Amino acid sequence: MSLSDSLYQEVLLDHYQNPRHHGKMEHSDLHEEGVNPLCGDEVELFLKLKGDIISEISFVGKGCSISQASASMLTDSLYGKTITEAKTLLHEFKGMLLEDKVPNFSEEYEDLESMEAVKKIPARIKCATLAWNTLEKAIGK
Amino acid sequence: MSFDLEKIRRDFPILSTQIGGKPLVFLDSAASSQKPKSVIDTIRKYYEAENANIHRGVYSLSQKATEKYEMARIKTSRFIGAACAKVVIFTRNTTESINLVAQSWGRTNIHEGDEIVLTELEHHSNLVPWQMLAQEKQAVLKFIPLNQDSTLDLSNLDEVITERVKLVALAQMSNVTGTIHDLSAIIRRAREVGAKVLIDGAQGICHLPTNVQKEDFDFYAFSAHKMLGPTGVGVLYAKEEILETMPPWMGGGDMISKVWKEKSTYADLPARLEAGTPNISGVIGFGAAIEYLESVGMQEIRDHELELLQYALDRLEDFGGLELYGTNDLSKRGGVISFNFPGVHPHDVGSILDEEGIAIRVGHHCAQPFMDFKGIAGTCRASFYLYNTKEDVDSLLVGLKKVKEIFGRVLKR
């Protein structure tokens, strides 16, 4: 199996083609835009909170399959979770890509593991982390 | 002489390297060309046996370096058909050459309400310096519009280039679509209204036989690294009578005649516009690049690229389903093919091809106004040079087939 086969496996292409939680959200509690200026990839995140819980989450964006699939996986993973859980997952996801850590995702987050292949293409890591950097800005506020 | 492709390929060491275990297929010369052994050897020889600063030392090593540096200037002037060597100003790149014109000639000659005419196909380096100047001087930017096939719409040229226009600045050949513009009509109109013409030759000089005097360019800017030379060397040519009126834009060593505590007088051309120690090894290496191009012949290079372009366009048309940009009139086009794979982002195409050892450029190619015009995020761009082969084109097609297989799994749903 070649690198691109493993990278562009079904799960990534499925998220790209059928993005989860896609669309703008009115009256969101948290809203942040992220852009990679060199390639022009864009992700816009919307979150609604009930206490500490992410009760609603959505995104819109444009760009390559990796950037958009990653955003779809992010929203899918965090729907119904707490901000604390979001921070833990964010830490783990970025650790996997930026610090070469072996991810230890629980079963419900297994789609995220498909992003590990991006590590072998350094030029594309910024695509995979765009949505997550955007989340970091959103919840850091 | 005959065009010996096999010999040419042997002259470029990088072409026999491998990328991830696969032979390199280099289709990104529009970004930066590869370098022949003669250029690499010339630079090595300079550092090993000839290195010294120029225009300063009385010792023989410095004089020899100066001689080689100035010889490269003479070769450059001959290559572009300039009247003499002193109208060749060395800079760092095309961008710096254009900024030099904007900062020196532009700030002196462009005033409030004056107009600068560009095209919608310009590279950012021939756009942003004029935006900056226009903002500073309250001047107006205007754009020659595009036809759908990426050629210029010259039907209203008289209305775009009016008496208020002081400068028309455009590329000789587009880095995105390969379009070679009809400069003669534009220059004719510019002369009627007394405007100066700047040609961004970054993509043109490396592919097309060019003569700045015959074609009557006022300014001509280009870079060595796209024409087999090293990075960090650019050229500004301008007509002598224009250069003579241009004030220095950077002050420092080498550009002065006499310096007192409070003021200085400035050197004659070309030194007046070349402050500080230049890229000596780069300029000398550039001289070797010019010699190489001359030994092959610019018309031969153009003919070879046209053959490749026709072959590649035919094969890409046959491939089916690709969106191709640019004119089909090859007399108006250089060896550049911009295309999109509907449903697949250019960056994804680039990554999959990279795994096959194929280097293409993907993205907006620093020409965002054109991407807006087409309503696209970017393109995939394959660009050819003298060392490319039909086998390179075949490899590209094999790579694209792989893209289709991988993305076809979801696109079919």
Side-chain angles (χ1 to χ4, degrees), chain B residues 22-40:
Chain B
K22 300 201 172 158
L24 169 67
V25 176
F26 190 74
L27 295 172
D28 194 23
S29 295
S32 194
S33 75
Q34 297 301 345
K35 324 300 177 199
K37 199 160 179 301
S38 63
V39 169
I40 299 166

Side-chain angles (χ1 to χ4, degrees), chain A residues 2-5 8-10 13-14 16-18 37-39 41 63-66 121 124, chain B residues 343-345 347-352 354-356 364 368 377 402 406-407 409-411 413:
Chain A
S2 74
L3 176 59
S4 63
D5 280 335
Y8 293 103
Q9 54 187 277
E10 296 281 330
L13 291 173
D14 184 55
Y16 176 51
Q17 208 59 24
N18 311 294
L38 277 179
C39 55
D41 289 347
C64 65
S65 64
I66 299 174
I121 314 180
R124 305 299 298 280
Chain B
V344 187
H345 194 279
H347 289 162
D348 292 320
V349 179
S351 280
I352 294 171
D354 178 49
E355 207 179 63
E356 302 297 305
H364 55 58
Q368 287 186 32
K402 192 171 175 199
I406 290 173
F407 275 81
R409 297 205 293 265
V410 289
L411 292 177
R413 284 183 197 163

Side-chain angles (χ1 to χ4, degrees), chain B residues 380-400:
Chain B
C380 308
R381 181 189 72 186
S383 54
F384 306 121
Y385 209 5
L386 69 166
Y387 38 66
N388 287 115
T389 63
K390 286 182 180 166
E391 288 72 32
D392 291 341
V393 176
D394 294 340
S395 301
L396 174 67
L397 269 293
V398 170
L400 291 178

Side-chain angles (χ1 to χ4, degrees), chain B residues 143-393:
Chain B
F143 295 86
I144 299 173
L146 290 178
N147 297 313
Q148 272 307 317
D149 71 350
S150 306
T151 55
L152 293 180
D153 175 1
L154 299 179
S155 57
N156 293 318
L157 199 57
D158 290 2
E159 286 155 44
V160 179
I161 302 179
T162 63
E163 302 284 337
R164 302 173 77 94
V165 173
K166 291 288 183 295
L167 178 75
V168 183
L170 77 161
Q172 186 177 10
M173 173 174 144
S174 159
N175 70 313
V176 185
T177 58
T179 309
I180 298 165
H181 297 310
D182 179 6
L183 299 176
S184 58
I186 293 167
I187 293 173
R188 206 178 312 122
R189 177 61 190 162
R191 297 286 166 253
E192 283 172 15
V193 299
K196 297 282 182 275
V197 177
L198 179 143
I199 302 299
D200 169 358
Q203 298 294 337
I205 187 71
C206 33
H207 303 289
L208 308 167
T210 302
N211 184 304
V212 293
Q213 287 196 94
K214 274 194 201 136
E215 293 169 67
D216 197 22
F217 301 157
D218 294 308
F219 300 100
Y220 189 59
F222 57 97
S223 292
H225 76 97
K226 291 189 206 282
M227 49 191 295
L228 313 185
T231 55
V233 176
V235 173
L236 175 70
Y237 157 86
K239 287 179 179 166
E240 189 177 347
E241 65 266 27
I242 300 173
L243 279 176
E244 287 293 355
T245 67
M246 282 168 60
W249 75 309
M250 288 201 291
D254 236 23
M255 50 75 72
I256 37 83
S257 166
K258 202 164 161 38
V259 178
W260 295 269
K261 257 161 69 182
E262 316 295 343
K263 61 164 190 170
S264 303
T265 54
Y266 305 123
D268 290 334
L269 290 173
R272 193 172 74 236
L273 296 168
E274 285 180 12
T277 297
N279 184 352
I280 304 168
S281 65
V283 167
I284 292 173
F286 178 41
I290 289 176
E291 277 181 11
Y292 190 91
L293 289 172
E294 283 177 335
S295 76
V296 178
M298 291 310 291
Q299 190 56 52
E300 284 75 6
I301 292 172
R302 168 73 176 146
D303 292 344
H304 172 66
E305 287 174 18
L306 275 176
E307 198 181 321
L308 278 181
L309 183 62
Q310 185 66 66
Y311 179 75
L313 284 174
D314 287 347
R315 296 223 49 198
L316 289 166
E317 291 278 355
D318 290 346
F319 186 80
L322 294 175
E323 201 166 314
L324 294 161
Y325 308 99
T327 176
N328 287 325
D329 178 354
L330 297 197
S331 69
K332 293 181 183 169
R333 181 164 179 171
V336 172
I337 300 182
S338 249
F339 62 93
N340 261 317
F341 220 116
V344 187
H345 194 279
H347 289 162
D348 292 320
V349 179
S351 280
I352 294 171
L353 292 182
D354 178 49
E355 207 179 63
E356 302 297 305
I358 304 163
I360 64 160
R361 174 88 185 264
V362 293
H364 55 58
H365 315 299
C366 296
Q368 287 186 32
F370 176 74
M371 301 303 147
D372 293 341
F373 169 73
K374 284 285 177 189
I376 52 179
T379 73
C380 308
R381 181 189 72 186
S383 54
F384 306 121
Y385 209 5
L386 69 166
Y387 38 66
N388 287 115
T389 63
K390 286 182 180 166
E391 288 72 32
D392 291 341
V393 176

Side-chain angles (χ1 to χ4, degrees), chain B residues 55-105:
Chain B
H55 299 151
R56 288 165 176 79
V58 293
Y59 51 92
S60 45
L61 204 57
S62 170
Q63 281 172 1
K64 191 169 179 194
T66 304
E67 213 172 275
K68 289 213 154 190
Y69 182 88
E70 291 305 327
M71 186 53 78
R73 198 191 305 276
I74 292 168
K75 286 177 194 165
T76 308
S77 68
R78 193 180 62 209
F79 187 71
I80 62 173
C84 60
K86 70 175 176 181
V87 293
V88 168
I89 311 295
F90 286 123
T91 61
R92 285 186 304 158
N93 44 47
T94 308
T95 303
E96 187 170 290
S97 296
I98 293 172
N99 276 274
L100 195 175
V101 177
Q103 295 298 315
S104 170
W105 181 87

